[in-house]
């Protein structure tokens, strides 16, 4: 491989069950050995962890894992085989008397697509694998590639599936924002390189990167679990009540990449704008794509543009699509480069 693949693959699975214990712990009852078994299929491991009353957050050797009572989110980069986690996760959930009710898979365009192993060699191959791995009762399914006319390298791939109950009953007040940033400012990217022979643990070096980069100021209320890789690279998970945030950085010149993901509420108001602005300012990227997933028609995408345009980033395209058990996905791309552009509208 010419360089490390920063763009992540992201899988979100939701479950339901009748056991009263389920409502308190659910998937959090999975043993660490069971989680490690799942991650071996994906080809990554846990390097750090933190938890609170609501969920467990793990930093992985390639990105992150979040385990709630009713859902699990795995986000992995590099040449991991993320979708291979589905069969063992369904198996372990059945042992807890939990049933899969919905699935969502998303990713951007890979920087090094020819280096990806099965089943990630193409989106078509991924969709076929998903179709064959999911139980038949998840009968409402859709796969789509959301384009960016002026940034073809930042297309967004989405697959979702659900059963009939999940089609009409899912959270309407929350949204998920996935931000992919490339062409990072070189001086800022250097903060995610370790000094040779610094003698620090990965946790201590990660904490230092969190502070010198300003990541600790993105959400001062969050408990941060951070990790620095050797010789470079960085991951963090933030937990704030029942909400998570996560950042992953590949800082090398030529294929620099950073991602930021968080969960918000449509009632957060300007808090979301401040959070997104602070996250992007840490990296000052040349290109940014933002995927906002919400069950309502609330115009969260307008807040995204309002956060990024004051940073010198111009909205180049905005596309909207609707998916089962997901709602609306709005995909926007931004760049600092001067070129002919159209208006950033609500989609087409």
């Amino acid at each position: 491989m010419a360089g490390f693949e920063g763009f992540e693959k992201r899988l979100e699975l939701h479950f339901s069950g009748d056991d009263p214990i389920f409502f308190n712990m659910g998937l959090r009852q999975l043993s660490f050995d069971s989680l490690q078994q799942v991650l071996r299929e994906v080809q990554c491991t846990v390097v750090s962890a933190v938890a609170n009353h609501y969920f467990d957050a793990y930093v992985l050797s390639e990105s992150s894992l979040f385990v709630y009572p009713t859902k699990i989110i795995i986000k992995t980069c590099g040449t991991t085989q993320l979708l291979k986690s589905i069969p063992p996760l369904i198996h372990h959930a059945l042992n807890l008397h939990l049933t899969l009710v919905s699935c969502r898979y998303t990713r951007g365009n890979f920087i090094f697509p020819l280096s990806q192993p099965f089943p990630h060699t193409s989106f078509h191959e991924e969709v076929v694998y998903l179709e064959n791995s999911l139980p038949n009762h998840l009968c409402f399914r859709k796969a789509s590639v959301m384009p960016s006319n002026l940034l073809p390298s930042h297309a967004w791939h989405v697959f979702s599936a659900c059963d009939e109950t999940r089609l009409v009953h899912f959270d309407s007040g929350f949204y998920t924002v996935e931000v992919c940033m490339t062409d990072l400012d070189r001086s800022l990217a250097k903060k995610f390189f370790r000094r040779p022979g610094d003698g620090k643990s990965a946790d201590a070096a990660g904490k230092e990167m969190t502070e010198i980069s300003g990541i600790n100021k993105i959400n001062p209320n969050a408990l941060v679990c951070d990790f620095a890789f050797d010789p470079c690279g960085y991951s963090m998970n933030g937990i704030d009540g029942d909400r998570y945030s996560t950042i992953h950085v590949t800082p090398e010149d030529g294929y620099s990449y950073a991602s930021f993901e968080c969960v918000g509420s449509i009632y957060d108001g300007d808090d979301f704008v401040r959070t997104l602005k602070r996250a992007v300012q840490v990296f000052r990227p040349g290109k940014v794509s933002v995927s906002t997933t919400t069950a309502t028609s609330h115009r969260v995408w307008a807040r995204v543009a309002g956060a990024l345009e004051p940073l010198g980033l111009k909205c180049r395209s905005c596309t909207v699509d609707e998916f089962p058990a997901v709602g609306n996905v709005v995909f926007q791309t931004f760049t600092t480069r001067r070129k002919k552009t159209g208006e950033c509208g609500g989609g087409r």
Side-chain angles (χ1 to χ4, degrees), residues 15-274:
F15 297 82
S16 67
D18 297 325
D19 191 332
I21 297 177
F22 164 80
F23 295 104
N24 296 319
M25 291 298 293
L27 294 167
R28 298 182 73 183
Q29 298 176 86
L30 288 174
S31 68
F32 186 71
D33 286 344
S34 296
L35 291 176
Q36 289 282 58
Q37 177 190 348
V38 172
L39 295 174
R40 278 196 293 272
E41 295 293 324
V42 178
Q43 297 186 334
C44 62
T45 59
V46 173
V47 297
S48 190
V50 69
N52 65 9
H53 177 71
Y54 298 96
F55 67 103
D56 307 315
Y58 301 87
V59 175
L60 305 180
S61 55
E62 280 85 12
S63 299
S64 294
L65 164 67
F66 302 99
V67 182
Y68 288 78
T70 63
K71 69 180 176 183
I72 190 164
I73 300 165
I74 310 182
K75 189 170 185 175
T76 64
C77 53
T79 55
T80 51
Q81 296 169 285
L82 175 61
L83 295 183
K84 288 190 175 182
S85 66
I86 295 176
L89 281 173
I90 292 176
H91 170 75
H92 288 307
L94 285 174
N95 289 337
L96 296 174
H97 307 290
L98 306 177
T99 302
L100 183 66
V101 294
S102 73
C103 166
R104 173 159 57 108
Y105 174 68
T106 57
R107 69 167 174 85
N109 271 17
F110 295 125
I111 300 174
F112 307 106
L114 298 180
S115 299
Q116 291 296 317
F118 174 85
H120 299 285
T121 50
S122 69
F123 187 53
H124 173 75
E125 194 72 57
E126 291 171 322
V127 171
V128 170
Y129 189 90
L130 282 158
E131 294 277 8
N132 293 333
S133 301
L134 297 174
N136 292 333
H137 67 269
L138 269 63
C139 54
F140 298 93
R141 305 181 179 188
K142 180 175 178 177
S144 180
V145 179
M146 303 179 70
S148 170
N149 292 338
L150 295 180
L151 289 178
S153 62
H154 280 249
W156 195 242
H157 305 70
V158 185
F159 173 91
S160 76
C162 69
D163 65 9
E164 187 171 4
T165 61
R166 189 67 183 176
L167 189 66
V168 293
H169 298 293
F170 57 99
D171 295 336
S172 60
F174 290 90
Y175 55 82
T176 303
V177 177
E178 300 170 67
V179 183
C180 301
M181 297 171 274
T182 56
D183 298 348
L184 309 184
D185 180 277
R186 288 186 176 184
S187 63
L188 299 180
K190 287 180 180 178
K191 296 179 180 180
F192 299 96
F193 282 81
R194 294 186 63 171
R195 294 185 300 276
D198 61 13
K200 296 181 178 180
S201 67
D203 294 321
K207 182 176 179 60
E208 181 181 67
M209 290 180 183
T210 298
E211 293 175 354
I212 65 174
S213 66
I215 287 174
N216 60 322
K217 298 178 182 177
I218 294 174
N219 178 4
N221 297 323
L223 173 62
V224 174
C225 179
D226 35 28
F227 192 90
F229 296 91
D230 193 8
C232 64
Y234 168 91
S235 289
M236 70 77 79
N237 292 330
I239 63 175
D240 181 8
D242 60 350
R243 303 186 195 183
Y244 71 87
S245 60
T246 184
I247 290 176
H248 303 284
V249 187
T250 301
E252 295 95 326
D253 282 349
Y255 49 93
S256 63
Y257 171 85
S259 67
F260 171 70
E261 178 178 331
C262 69
V263 179
S265 167
I266 60 174
Y267 307 109
D268 286 344
D270 291 340
D271 287 348
F272 166 69
V273 172
R274 285 192 293 269

